[in-house]
Amino acid sequence: MAVLTKNQIKAGHWYASDGTPMHRLPTADGAGERITTIRDAKRLGLYPSVTSILGILAKPGLETWKLNQMALATLRTPKTAEEGADYWL
């Protein structure tokens, strides 16, 4: 079972409007770098990578495969007399 927590969002890759990669930003103390977060992206007006955007879109082939697998699983599962169509739907 999937468990959602508040901080499960990946940072992702971010780009400036001119295409400059902004994957990492300097730390506040200047001692190194850290991954760019969504908060940073909003503050700096950065754009997500194409891969991040495509990850949100529906994938019709994958959805069809998942529905077919679900249908096959219900066909293969033994049913008792007291389990009607409403139970399986």
Side-chain angles (χ1 to χ4, degrees):
M1 176 164 133
V3 178
L4 299 177
T5 62
K6 186 175 180 180
N7 297 320
Q8 285 288 326
I9 299 173
K10 293 182 180 179
H13 289 147
W14 299 94
Y15 296 88
S17 60
D18 64 355
T20 306
M22 301 289 286
H23 307 320
R24 302 182 71 76
L25 294 174
T27 56
D29 61 6
E33 292 184 331
R34 62 179 176 77
I35 295 174
T36 304
T37 64
I38 292 173
R39 181 179 289 179
D40 296 325
K42 287 181 182 180
R43 182 173 47 86
L44 299 171
L46 303 178
Y47 297 97
S49 67
V50 173
T51 308
S52 297
I53 294 169
L54 292 177
I56 297 169
L57 298 176
K59 296 160 186 72
L62 179 60
E63 293 301 319
T64 300
W65 178 83
K66 288 193 304 187
L67 290 172
N68 286 340
Q69 294 304 305
M70 184 178 62
L72 288 171
T74 60
L75 288 173
R76 294 177 184 143
T77 305
K79 297 164 186 65
T80 62
E82 56 272 356
E83 296 174 341
D86 290 337
Y87 173 81
W88 288 94
L89 293 175

